[in-house]
Amino acid sequence: MLAKLKSRAVVIGLVCLAVGGARAEPTDNWVQEYVVQILWGPERNLGGSGVYLGKGLVITAAHVVGPQSRTVGIDGVSLAARLIKGGGDPDLSLLSMDERTLPTSLLERRMPLCQEQPPVGAPVILGAVRGITRTSIASPMLIPPEMRTKFSTLISEAETNGKSGSGVFDAEKKCLLGILSAKISNNIENKDIASYFVPASAIQSFVPPGTRW
């Protein structure tokens, strides 16, 4: 379940520069190669999504990784994974699969972290187990001032139920911008207004020193 943040202010007259939730384009299929299923319990129920970084490493949201979620699915196979690091602030968890168990298709696959944050309105791709959608970077001006420092990285797509831990990818540079973490809502109008993702800079700081992929 995607975490939900409530705004105390009414947001009026602010419109994203691009329409969120657009159907994925055929050229976006590369994203699917990095989408990971986070599976819960012995029944392996779908708990959320994650992103394959390379060398058996998977990054996802901390609230997606439950006490029994030690299995991940990618490329049509389910593999055991161990928790390397989990947190709450930032909302991240890093999992590792034994490289000796990886399908051949994953051995050379790598997903770099983006080094720059795109401007408002830039096209991005949300890659989830439930599908790939095009959306855009949203302005922090959509949310109250007291929330803008902590939740400054937003996408305009707010219909993100069941997509926790999904990757937000730069559509042009093909790098990972961040991990979907929380939905931001206006509780006066009872309306979802944006979704927050933990940025690549936070992922870089979160990953233990010496970890390479």
Side-chain angles (χ1 to χ4, degrees):
M1 181 181 295
L2 193 71
K4 199 164 187 177
L5 301 173
K6 293 291 188 177
S7 164
R8 293 175 295 175
V10 178
V11 180
I12 300 175
L14 295 173
V15 181
C16 293
L17 299 180
V19 177
R23 183 174 297 177
E25 299 178 5
T27 54
D28 297 339
N29 291 338
W30 61 271
V31 170
Q32 195 64 54
E33 298 181 356
Y34 296 91
V35 175
V36 177
Q37 298 174 315
I38 307 298
L39 304 172
W40 283 358
E43 296 82 11
R44 297 184 178 180
N45 296 319
L46 179 62
S49 301
V51 176
Y52 183 67
L53 296 175
K55 291 192 174 181
L57 296 174
V58 174
I59 191 76
T60 185
H63 72 270
V64 168
V65 180
Q68 295 182 317
S69 56
R70 293 296 182 269
T71 307
V72 298
I74 186 171
D75 270 14
V77 297
S78 297
L79 300 170
R82 64 185 180 91
L83 181 66
I84 293 181
K85 185 177 180 180
D89 189 14
D91 180 22
L92 293 171
S93 281
L94 184 67
L95 304 171
S96 177
M97 299 175 284
D98 187 338
E99 287 190 71
R100 296 170 296 182
T101 68
L102 296 179
T104 304
S105 58
L106 296 182
L107 295 180
E108 300 300 324
R109 200 173 296 177
R110 302 288 186 273
M111 174 48 60
L113 299 178
C114 298
Q115 300 303 307
E116 297 179 357
Q117 176 70 20
V120 172
V124 298
I125 305 170
L126 181 61
V129 174
R130 300 191 178 195
I132 296 171
T133 53
R134 278 240 172 184
T135 181
S136 62
I137 296 293
S139 171
M141 297 300 290
L142 283 169
I143 61 178
E146 67 270 18
M147 300 176 68
R148 292 173 192 164
T149 298
K150 186 172 183 179
F151 305 106
S152 61
T153 46
L154 305 171
I155 57 173
S156 57
E157 176 60 45
E159 296 297 324
T160 50
N161 288 336
K163 297 181 180 180
S164 287
S166 301
V168 178
F169 300 88
D170 189 308
E172 297 179 356
K173 296 182 179 179
K174 295 187 176 181
C175 54
L176 180 64
L177 282 166
I179 294 296
L180 193 68
S181 173
K183 180 181 294 185
I184 299 178
S185 302
N186 184 307
N187 61 351
I188 296 176
E189 294 185 347
N190 195 28
K191 179 181 179 181
D192 298 327
I193 56 179
S195 295
Y196 164 73
F197 64 92
V198 181
S201 58
I203 296 174
Q204 187 70 66
S205 300
F206 177 82
V207 173
T211 302
R212 297 288 184 269
W213 64 88

